């Protein structure tokens, strides 16, 4: 029972534990700082549980093989950082339209391009949403501690399998490389969702059965024969030029996430009940923010924190509601202003919205947040 | 915040500063009854360059994982000492390897210099245990975690063949601080 005891684990190691807990049995990728420990851990652990690990020729091959692994019926994952995330974008779109469950871990480092490989960043927020072209559904989770990387990786697999769509786990280098005590949960402690199996006869099976918002996905090689393509397709998977079918499918893949977003959203609130100023942030920056909130509260200043663990779909309702009862929302982020535009959109002018940005490879400190917040108190 | 104890271990890449940080964090959170967060920053090189590891130890939850007002800093090289000593708080402790750090910074902190590298190399026969010698000194000076917890954490991290050497290194570092209070 060596697994049961408390251990000091790195964020990227906790990601490996979360993936294995969720039942991930296929990993393909190409190592890149600061996500390399995810690949390293999967390469050691997967063969011991009957899983497969493949180091591919590059990041594109990494995600493409993971799509194949998932279609063959195994829960699949790839992990990357920086330019690797750019390279994966075409295949992310492919997984969206082909409706392939998949988990993509992006440990955010400074960019653009090769940027600052060993420095933290939160500048892939919009790349996660809009990096691949075309309208498509996006689910992205944003843990901010080592134990949370484990639980959110499990949740990412659950969401991917439930909605038949790629799900991203986004965290910055600080959270990915820091170490915290963690006890691996026992089997059964966390919910694990498996994909819906096809129960019809193989000759009656449609991979995109239009009677479903999310159709069951039969594993390749199990007797169910079907076609998979990145082209707009009919319910049997073969390409189509029928405007009605194209329209229906384009809308359906968005709707399957949009109509269920109350169940996908997950927010943590700290001291928001009577807050006059709110902070909205994720990842390691949320830890600075919580520190700042605790300090300011000691001086009687009414500050609170809204921390989304699901950044996509964006927590529209929570931000809109918050904007009606605070003077201002301060948005610290390790980029030059990405989440702040979404917060502005949701606040609809109800309160002041201000970005606090930093791109020198250093974290946003509690002191910086306290300074930014004070002017609205 | 008052019970936050902040440690920074700095040196050159390859000197085992990150491992030393992990051991301190494990001593506090796994073999002791406290909470700890360990983080690091490093350059692209795996050897050389200035490298630092930070450990925050607390009785309760730890939000900000990086050091802001350092209670104890270790500097194994002049470059790291010069670059990283600015955040040591008044009344804090700076431990330097006197073999390498000749230009000792002045401030509202106490400075303790020990010939850490030469002890490791000449007395113990392996320069690689310099980080463990310095952990011993840090344990003696800070008392933030017990000697027993640090020893358990060290022994859990080293290969069986080097248990005695590391035990000796930790003890030798601890002894350096015996008469210093």
């Amino acid at each position: 029972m060596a697994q049961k005891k408390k251990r000091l684990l790195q964020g990227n190691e906790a990601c490996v534990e979360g993936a294995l807990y969720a039942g991930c049995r296929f990993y393909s990728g190409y190592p890149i700082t600061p996500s390399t420990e995810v690949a390293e851990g999967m390469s050691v652990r997967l063969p011991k549980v009957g899983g497969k690990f493949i180091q591919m020729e590059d990041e594109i091959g990494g995600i493409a093989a993971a799509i194949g692994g998932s279609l063959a019926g195994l829960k699949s994952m790839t992990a990357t950082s920086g330019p690797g995330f750019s390279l994966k974008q075409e295949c992310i779109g492919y997984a969206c339209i082909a409706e392939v469950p998949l988990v993509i871990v992006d440990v955010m480092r400074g960019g653009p391009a090769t940027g600052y490989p060993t420095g933290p960043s939160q500048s892939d927020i919009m790349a996660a949403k809009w990096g691949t072209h075309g309208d498509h559904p996006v689910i992205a989770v944003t843990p901010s501690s080592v134990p949370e990387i484990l639980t959110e990786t499990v949740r990412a697999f659950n969401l991917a399998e439930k909605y038949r769509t790629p799900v991203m786990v986004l965290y910055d280098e600080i959270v990915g490389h820091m170490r915290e005590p963690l006890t691996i949960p026992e089997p059964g402690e966390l919910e694990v969702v498996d994909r819906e199996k096809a129960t019809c006869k193989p000759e009656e099976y449609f991979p995109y059965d239009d009677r479903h918002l999310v159709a069951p996905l039969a594993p390749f090689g199990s007797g169910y024969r079907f076609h998979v393509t990145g082209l707009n397709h009919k319910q049997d998977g073969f390409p189509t030029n029928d405007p009605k079918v194209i329209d229906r499918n384009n809308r359906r893949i968005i709707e399957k996430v949009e109509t269920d977003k109350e169940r996908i959203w997950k927010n943590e609130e700290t001291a928001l009940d009577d807050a006059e100023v709110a902070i909205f942030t994720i990842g390691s920056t949320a830890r600075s923010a919580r520190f700042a909130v605790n300090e300011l509260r000691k001086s009687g200043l009414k500050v609170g924190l809204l921390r989304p663990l699901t950044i996509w779909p964006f927590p529209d309702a929570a931000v809109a509601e918050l904007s009606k009862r605070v003077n201002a929302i301060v948005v610290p982020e390790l980029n030059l202003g990405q989440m702040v535009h979404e917060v502005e959109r949701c606040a609809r002018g109800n309160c002041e919205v201000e970005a606090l940005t930093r791109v020198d490879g250093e974290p946003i400190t509690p002191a910086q947040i306290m300074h930014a917040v004070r002017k609205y108190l | 915040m008052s019970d936050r104890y902040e440690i920074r271990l700095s040196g050159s890449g390859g000197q085992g500063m990150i491992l030393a940080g992990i051991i301190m964090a494990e001593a506090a959170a796994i073999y002791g009854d406290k909470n700890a967060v360990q983080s690091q920053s490093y350059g692209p090189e795996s050897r050389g360059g200035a490298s630092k590891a930070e450990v925050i130890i607390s009785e309760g939850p730890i939000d900000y994982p990086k050091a802001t007002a350092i209670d104890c800093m270790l500097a194994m090289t002049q470059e790291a000492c010069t670059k990283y000593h600015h955040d040591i708080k008044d009344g804090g402790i700076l431990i330097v390897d006197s073999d390498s750090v000749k230009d000792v910074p002045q401030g509202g902190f106490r400075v303790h210099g020990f010939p850490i590298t030469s002890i490791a190399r000449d007395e113990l026969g392996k320069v690689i245990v310099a980080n463990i010698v310095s952990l011993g000194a840090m344990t003696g000076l800070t008392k933030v975690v017990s000697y027993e917890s640090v020893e358990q954490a060290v022994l859990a991290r080293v290969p069986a063949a080097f248990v005695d050497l590391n035990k000796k290194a930790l003890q030798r570092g601890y002894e350096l601080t015996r008469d210093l209070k």
Side-chain angles (χ1 to χ4, degrees):
Chain A
M1 294 300 286
Q3 296 272 315
K4 181 71 186 118
K5 66 173 196 199
K6 192 165 63 164
R7 292 192 290 163
L8 191 78
L9 281 191
Q10 194 184 59
N12 285 338
E13 293 170 338
C15 180
V16 171
E17 297 296 338
L20 294 170
Y21 188 97
C24 174
R25 291 296 178 268
F26 187 86
Y27 182 100
S28 51
Y30 190 80
I32 181 168
T33 300
S35 72
T36 301
E37 296 84 3
V38 178
E40 196 180 346
M42 292 305 274
S43 75
V44 172
R45 299 287 298 280
L46 268 180
K48 294 180 183 167
V49 294
K52 301 269 191 298
F53 172 93
I54 306 179
Q55 180 170 322
M56 296 298 290
E57 72 277 18
D58 62 17
E59 285 89 345
I60 302 172
I63 185 170
I67 288 171
S70 180
L71 283 169
L74 297 180
K75 289 186 180 179
S76 301
M77 180 166 93
T78 190
T80 194
S81 296
F85 196 47
S86 295
L87 287 169
K88 291 191 190 293
Q89 292 296 342
E90 183 184 0
C91 278
I92 291 173
Y94 185 96
C96 287
I97 194 169
E99 297 183 71
V100 182
L102 181 66
V103 171
I104 301 141
V105 180
D106 175 29
V107 188
M108 293 182 282
R109 74 187 215 186
T114 317
Y116 186 18
T118 57
S121 170
Q122 294 170 332
S123 55
D124 297 348
I125 305 290
M126 284 297 165
K129 171 73 174 163
W130 297 117
T132 195
H133 67 275
D135 291 310
H136 56 276
V138 173
I139 301 175
V141 302
T142 48
S144 79
S145 72
V146 173
E148 215 170 70
I149 288 178
L150 188 154
T151 53
E152 286 304 297
T153 302
V154 174
R155 191 165 74 97
F157 273 98
N158 291 347
L159 293 167
E161 297 295 331
K162 184 174 177 189
Y163 298 103
R164 263 186 79 174
T165 198
V167 173
M168 299 177 211
V169 183
L170 290 181
Y171 53 89
D172 53 80
E173 182 274 343
I174 294 174
V175 186
H177 276 162
M178 63 187 251
R179 290 178 176 84
E180 286 183 293
L182 165 66
T183 305
I184 311 283
E186 291 290 319
E189 240 176 273
L190 303 178
E191 185 194 21
V192 171
V193 176
D194 293 318
R195 77 183 62 159
E196 199 184 334
K197 291 206 170 66
T199 51
C200 64
K201 292 177 188 159
E203 58 271 29
E204 291 165 6
Y205 178 70
F206 291 118
Y208 306 97
D209 193 331
D210 58 18
R211 293 170 301 175
H212 299 263
L213 200 52
V214 182
L217 180 60
F220 259 84
S222 65
Y224 291 81
R225 297 177 62 194
F226 58 97
H227 190 255
V228 180
T229 174
L231 290 162
N232 276 287
H233 43 259
K234 298 174 287 183
Q235 61 173 350
D236 62 3
F238 284 95
T240 182
N241 292 324
D242 182 336
K244 271 190 197 149
V245 176
I246 292 170
D247 180 77
R248 193 170 59 215
N249 260 329
N250 278 337
R251 292 179 190 280
R252 183 182 54 77
I253 61 171
I254 300 281
E255 274 166 22
K256 69 181 178 182
V257 170
E258 277 297 304
T259 56
D260 224 22
K261 61 187 180 187
E262 280 83 3
R263 273 184 281 274
I264 302 170
W265 281 336
K266 186 176 177 185
N267 297 309
E268 183 194 80
E269 296 191 0
T270 305
L272 273 182
D273 284 349
D274 62 343
E276 291 166 5
V277 178
I279 304 164
F280 178 96
T281 192
I282 58 163
S284 72
T285 313
R287 301 178 69 115
S288 303
R290 211 186 292 124
F291 187 106
V293 167
N294 289 338
E295 285 302 300
L296 292 167
R297 283 276 169 182
K298 282 180 202 161
S299 322
L301 299 171
K302 292 179 174 169
V303 182
L305 168 66
L306 175 61
R307 177 173 75 91
L309 283 87
T310 301
I311 194 69
W312 302 117
F314 197 78
D316 296 17
V319 175
E321 188 274 326
L322 183 64
S323 70
K324 292 176 193 154
R325 57 189 174 94
V326 295
N327 302 331
I329 303 175
V330 173
V331 188
E333 43 186 331
L334 290 173
N335 56 51
L336 288 175
Q338 298 193 13
M339 293 188 297
V340 67
H341 299 303
E342 289 294 304
V343 174
E344 275 170 355
R345 175 178 65 78
C346 299
R348 291 173 170 266
N350 291 327
C351 68
E352 297 285 333
V353 175
E354 186 183 308
L356 169 60
T357 65
R358 187 160 191 176
V359 289
D360 63 351
E362 294 293 323
I364 294 177
T365 63
Q368 281 184 282
I369 296 175
M370 286 188 254
H371 180 76
V373 162
R374 272 177 192 278
K375 73 173 113 157
Y376 296 106
L377 288 164
Chain B
M1 186 186 178
S2 50
D3 83 318
R4 249 177 100 94
Y5 196 92
E6 301 191 352
I7 295 170
R8 176 178 288 167
L9 305 108
S10 68
S12 163
Q15 278 189 311
M17 291 298 101
I18 291 171
L19 177 61
I22 292 170
I23 289 171
M24 274 312 261
E26 287 183 335
I30 307 298
Y31 303 98
D33 55 0
K34 293 182 176 175
N35 191 14
V37 176
Q38 182 270 333
S39 68
Q40 60 224 300
S41 80
Y42 57 95
E45 56 288 84
S46 59
R47 296 286 179 274
S51 127
K52 70 175 153 101
E54 292 178 346
V55 184
I56 315 295
I57 296 170
S58 174
E59 301 285 345
I62 297 164
D63 290 321
Y64 191 56
K66 300 278 184 179
T68 52
I70 295 166
D71 293 279
C72 181
M73 170 167 143
L74 165 74
M76 295 294 287
T77 65
Q78 184 68 56
E79 184 190 357
C81 187
T82 306
K83 192 168 171 186
Y84 295 134
H85 78 272
H86 301 285
D87 306 319
I88 305 173
K89 71 181 193 188
D90 283 349
I93 302 167
L94 170 63
I95 304 170
V96 300
D97 182 348
S98 52
D99 292 329
S100 309
V101 181
K102 302 296 179 194
D103 181 12
V104 178
Q106 301 297 310
F109 45 83
R110 282 186 288 145
V111 180
H112 295 282
F114 308 110
I116 295 169
T117 299
S118 44
I119 288 171
R121 187 187 52 226
D122 305 334
E123 283 185 35
L124 300 162
K126 285 258 187 232
V127 73
I128 202 166
V129 294
N131 60 345
I132 306 298
V133 174
S134 57
L135 274 186
M138 181 173 280
T139 306
L141 286 168
T142 65
K143 308 264 190 269
V144 65
V145 282
S146 71
Y147 183 82
E148 290 71 30
S149 298
V150 179
E151 188 178 49
Q152 276 181 284
V154 169
L155 299 185
R157 279 273 169 189
V158 300
F162 297 102
V163 161
D164 285 342
L165 173 67
N166 281 280
K167 244 183 177 171
K168 222 183 283 176
L170 187 71
Q171 186 160 16
R172 185 68 184 90
Y174 190 73
E175 278 167 6
L176 290 170
T177 67
R178 187 153 285 172
D179 302 323
L180 303 167
K181 287 294 169 253

